[in-house]
């Protein structure tokens, strides 16, 4: 988990997929091999601090957001441009932040 951006209004965190172990897991019973799921996904959590809501992007949404980040690494945007982009994503946010 890596915080990519943190301001007074937004926070963006990248949650990276964890690679499975190279060797398959062994079951305690009869030494059989157990297959592990191979679905490796990463995502981005965007927190709108103004509204107290968060949005989790995964799948194709995460890929699109990753492309945006890659473009930002080539052509460094202003803080205003980043905030405007995050505000557009934040319009989709429905999940209220809660303390666990």
């Amino acid at each position: 988990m890596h915080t990519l951006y943190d301001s007074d209004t937004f926070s963006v965190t990248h949650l990276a997929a964890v690679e499975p172990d190279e060797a398959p897991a062994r079951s305690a019973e009869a030494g059989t091999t157990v297959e592990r799921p191979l679905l490796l996904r990463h995502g981005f959590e965007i927190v709108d601090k103004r509204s107290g809501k968060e949005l989790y992007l995964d799948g194709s949404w995460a890929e699109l957001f990753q492309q945006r980040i890659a473009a930002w690494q080539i052509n460094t945007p202003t803080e205003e441009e980043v905030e405007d982009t995050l505000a557009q994503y934040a319009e989709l946010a429905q999940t209220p932040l809660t303390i666990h």
Side-chain angles (χ1 to χ4, degrees):
M1 188 163 59
H2 298 96
T3 300
L4 302 177
Y5 183 78
D6 191 22
S7 71
D8 290 340
T9 52
F10 293 103
S11 175
V12 178
T13 305
H14 180 226
L15 291 94
V18 178
E19 295 290 332
D21 296 336
E22 293 295 323
R26 296 261 177 209
S27 172
E29 298 178 25
T32 59
T33 301
V34 177
E35 293 294 324
R36 293 187 178 171
L38 295 179
L39 180 62
L40 299 176
R41 299 184 81 158
H42 69 97
F44 296 92
E45 178 186 51
I46 300 173
V47 174
D48 182 348
K49 296 176 182 179
R50 301 167 300 176
S51 68
K53 293 184 179 178
E54 66 94 19
L55 171 68
Y56 184 75
L57 303 174
D58 70 348
S60 59
W61 281 98
E63 295 302 323
L64 290 171
F65 192 71
Q66 179 68 45
Q67 291 172 6
R68 175 71 60 121
I69 291 171
W72 284 344
Q73 291 173 339
I74 295 169
N75 299 313
T76 306
T78 65
E79 184 174 349
E80 184 178 328
E81 291 171 326
V82 172
E83 295 277 324
D84 288 345
T85 299
L86 294 177
Q88 291 173 0
Y89 280 99
E91 290 176 9
L92 303 172
Q94 299 295 316
T95 308
L97 294 175
T98 57
I99 299 175
H100 298 281

